[in-house]
Amino acid sequence: MRYSIFAILIAVAALGLVAGAAGVWYGWIAVAVAGPLTLLGVYDLRQTRHSLMRNYPIIAHMRWLFEGIRPEIRQYLIESDADAFPFNREQRSLVYQRAKQAVQTVPFGTQQDVYKPEYAYFTHSLAPVHPKTFDFRVTVGGESCKQPYAISLFNISAMSFGALSGNAIQALNKGAKLGGFAHDTGEGGISRYHRQHGGDLIWELGSGYFGCRAADGTFDAEKFIKQSADPQIKMIEVKLSQGAKPGHGGVLPASKITPEIVEARGIPMGIDCVSPAAHPAFSTPVEFVRFLQQLRDLSLGKPVGFKLCVGHPHEFMAVVKAMIQEEIYPDFIVVDGSEGGTGAAPVEFTNSVGMPLREGLHFVNMALIGAGIRNRIRIGASGKIISGADIGTALALGADWCNSARGFMFALGCIQARSCHTNRCPTGVATQDPTRQKALVVPDKAARVASFHKNTLIGFGEMLGAMGLDRPDQITVDVLHIRTADRASLLHHRLAPLQLSHPDCPLPFARPWAEAQTVSFARSEGPKSDRAVPPKPVHATG
């Protein structure tokens, strides 16, 4: 049976040869069909890489065929609207509808299991209101900031040119210009496509310092001064880590470096470009906060902050201690959840490294409150935020504004083909293939980007009004309910101002606070008396 198809094809080819030689014309058709397949069977038997093909010549190729089309078959024919990851059909459809100004309502009730663990919902008011505006904004810039920026509540998260096509970057930036919101450059630098339409930019500085990089890969202050003076750049964000691959550096091989990438990144042609996992400009918490102050001074007072996916709690606490010790406070912190996306990452990092957004955002917010400095720093949030409810959840857990990457990719036409790393993106969003990206028409997609932003904030505003509120800063954790049976969950602990210094501070915060030190990101090895003491257990009575 294993060789039956192969044997039949040999027979058909042989009979076709005989018939063709006898002047029967369709014999040659049989040879044209069966002959190449017979040769494929011979190849399968002789090759040594795939045992399956040696045992099942010809028919084994069906496995690869079905494996190749499996994602499309599942996505379009099998999965329900509430299935699939990273984003289900209902979520994707919401973005498409809002981007296209189509109907955004759903019939017949929710498809979510409202009694499952981790289900989240908001409480509403018997006295709903109508917000005065849906153009919600937050002013970013502390006491040391001379050029504060009124950022939209919803913005484009970090995505680099190179990961996205030039047309995609253009459409995003033009959409940001039309809608009056910000576009984070990603760590790949500011390309010509970012500048073409003049939308507000958040310049992200990763460990490669693209745009202000010295020949040896270190930070170049003079280049930074020149770049940061651009009025299109509204804020500067130092990337410590990214949710999808925290703690992971990267190498751009010389073979993939194009003149456009050279122009954007400020790197030479013909040499591998290395982005180390750690920043060369600093190695301790104190050095880090001083570096932030240096950037603020060199940029003439533009808002400066940093982005991270929360990892070891004591390391973030060490940065907080350094802020207080040096009296240097960033203007903002963006918390990126480990559920965030990327063009390509090792599966170990994507699936198993970093703190998810809910826990990370709550931890950062409580740490700043507990240290008594929350009023000095704004918090942004990113990680699978595409709807008004996602924005509301982030705000209730401590965010001041939100960013979205894949949401705006869907607005560009992304179909979640998950081929970003292959350079064969079917919609021209995540590719450098010039023929593929031509399919993405910039004026049309820019309008969709602006519409998605506008309609998402309208959806959020209507939900806000249903809670009896008319301003985003009125949302508190008290209106958000997340079902979890684990009372030890980080989300159940709330800190009062300066509570980190009190003996009653909850252990998940007290322990890393005691372990944090400003001279190193390593845990403090001080005496045990300096460590947090677990509270006495409380026993039920009666």
Side-chain angles (χ1 to χ4, degrees):
M1 293 297 294
R2 289 186 290 137
Y3 303 104
S4 58
I5 298 296
F6 185 35
I8 290 171
L9 287 168
I10 292 174
V12 170
L15 291 173
L17 278 172
V18 173
V24 180
W25 64 269
Y26 52 78
W28 297 116
I29 296 178
V31 172
V33 173
L37 291 174
T38 300
L39 293 175
L40 176 63
V42 173
Y43 168 79
D44 288 345
L45 290 172
R46 293 180 61 83
Q47 59 83 37
T48 58
R49 291 188 61 194
H50 300 289
S51 57
L52 189 65
M53 289 194 298
R54 287 170 66 87
N55 279 331
Y56 298 88
I58 301 174
I59 59 175
H61 289 274
M62 298 297 291
R63 172 187 181 271
W64 281 272
L65 172 64
F66 286 120
E67 189 177 69
I69 63 174
R70 175 182 175 274
E72 289 78 11
I73 295 295
R74 180 174 178 82
Q75 178 172 330
Y76 293 112
L77 300 179
I78 298 175
E79 70 185 27
S80 75
D81 286 353
D83 286 341
F85 281 92
F87 293 88
N88 61 42
R89 182 181 295 275
E90 184 178 63
Q91 292 171 315
R92 299 195 304 271
S93 296
L94 175 66
V95 179
Y96 298 147
Q97 290 161 0
R98 287 180 168 170
K100 297 176 183 178
Q101 301 276 34
V103 176
Q104 303 168 35
T105 54
V106 295
F108 223 66
T110 181
Q111 296 190 66
Q112 296 191 37
D113 180 358
V114 299
Y115 293 104
K116 70 178 180 180
E118 304 305 317
Y119 175 74
Y121 65 94
F122 294 87
T123 52
H124 64 282
S125 171
L126 294 178
V129 301
H130 186 75
K132 300 178 180 64
T133 179
F134 295 113
D135 183 23
F136 303 112
R137 296 192 172 272
V138 178
T139 300
V140 181
E143 295 177 358
S144 300
C145 177
K146 298 177 182 177
Q147 301 183 55
Y149 176 58
I151 194 170
S152 172
L153 191 69
F154 191 47
N155 306 278
I156 300 170
S157 195
M159 294 182 284
S160 298
F161 167 65
L164 298 192
S165 69
N167 280 16
I169 294 293
Q170 280 193 69
L172 288 172
N173 195 256
K174 186 173 182 178
K177 180 70 171 180
L178 293 171
F181 52 100
H183 178 192
D184 194 311
T185 66
E187 65 175 308
I190 303 173
S191 69
R192 66 181 71 174
Y193 305 108
H194 288 94
R195 302 184 189 277
Q196 195 160 337
H197 300 286
D200 291 352
L201 293 178
I202 300 172
W203 181 18
E204 182 177 271
L205 288 184
S207 58
Y209 305 122
F210 300 127
C212 56
R213 178 184 174 98
D216 61 355
T218 58
F219 175 73
D220 187 316
E222 293 302 319
K223 289 182 179 178
F224 177 83
I225 291 172
K226 183 178 179 180
Q227 181 93 292
S228 64
D230 187 341
Q232 191 180 353
I233 297 173
K234 302 300 181 182
M235 303 203 306
I236 295 150
E237 174 185 280
V238 177
K239 190 193 91 167
L240 295 181
S241 56
Q242 174 184 348
K245 47 182 178 182
H248 191 272
V251 177
L252 182 64
S255 60
K256 292 186 177 181
I257 297 176
T258 65
E260 288 179 319
I261 290 177
V262 166
E263 179 185 53
R265 298 194 176 196
I267 58 177
M269 286 286 290
I271 301 175
D272 291 347
C273 177
V274 178
S275 297
H279 277 258
F282 53 86
S283 60
T284 70
V286 167
E287 290 177 359
F288 172 53
V289 298
R290 289 175 180 170
F291 180 64
L292 295 178
Q293 182 60 52
Q294 180 188 10
L295 297 182
R296 189 155 47 205
D297 292 339
L298 295 176
S299 65
L300 301 181
K302 289 187 176 181
V304 171
F306 63 93
K307 178 178 84 173
L308 83 165
C309 176
V310 179
H312 295 318
H314 73 271
E315 292 183 349
F316 181 77
M317 294 294 200
V319 174
V320 173
K321 283 187 173 180
M323 294 176 194
I324 297 171
Q325 174 184 304
E326 300 296 309
E327 295 188 349
I328 298 173
Y329 302 96
D331 298 294
F332 64 93
I333 299 171
V334 175
V335 181
D336 198 18
S338 61
E339 63 269 50
T342 184
V347 67
E348 293 85 356
F349 284 79
T350 296
N351 291 348
S352 307
V353 180
M355 196 177 289
L357 179 61
R358 285 181 181 176
E359 286 88 345
L361 180 57
H362 179 72
F363 175 81
V364 168
N365 185 47
M366 289 297 108
L368 297 180
I369 289 174
I373 60 173
R374 177 63 179 87
N375 63 322
R376 295 175 175 266
I377 303 169
R378 295 291 194 184
I379 298 178
S382 58
K384 289 190 73 173
I385 296 174
I386 61 169
S387 71
D390 297 332
I391 294 173
T393 300
L395 265 58
L397 293 173
D400 293 299
W401 84 84
C402 297
N403 299 330
S404 176
R406 287 169 291 179
F408 284 101
M409 287 178 68
F410 289 139
L412 290 174
C414 169
I415 60 171
Q416 195 171 276
R418 302 187 69 195
S419 57
C420 313
H421 60 302
T422 66
N423 204 34
R424 296 193 298 271
C425 171
T427 58
V429 175
T431 179
Q432 296 303 304
D433 185 326
T435 59
R436 288 177 178 269
Q437 63 177 291
K438 281 182 181 178
L440 196 159
V441 180
V442 172
D444 175 67
K445 301 306 183 185
R448 293 189 183 190
V449 166
S451 295
F452 169 57
H453 172 268
K454 174 185 174 182
N455 290 323
T456 300
L457 288 185
I458 290 174
F460 166 76
E462 291 176 343
M463 188 180 73
L464 186 71
M467 290 184 247
L469 311 173
D470 60 7
R471 298 195 322 272
D473 61 356
Q474 294 172 323
I475 292 184
T476 66
V477 72
D478 297 313
V479 301
L480 173 65
H481 299 267
I482 301 176
R483 182 179 294 112
T484 171
D486 182 11
R487 302 305 297 180
S489 168
L490 185 67
L491 296 175
H492 285 290
H493 297 291
R494 304 181 192 175
L495 269 60
L498 299 175
Q499 192 175 352
L500 281 173
S501 303
H502 293 181
D504 63 345
C505 181
L507 190 61
F509 292 92
R511 175 173 289 159
W513 181 252
E515 294 171 341
Q517 54 183 333
T518 61
V519 296
S520 171
F521 285 110
R523 268 192 194 88
S524 169
E525 297 297 334
K528 290 186 178 181
S529 59
D530 292 339
R531 302 290 181 92
V533 179
K536 294 181 179 180
V538 178
H539 300 283
T541 57

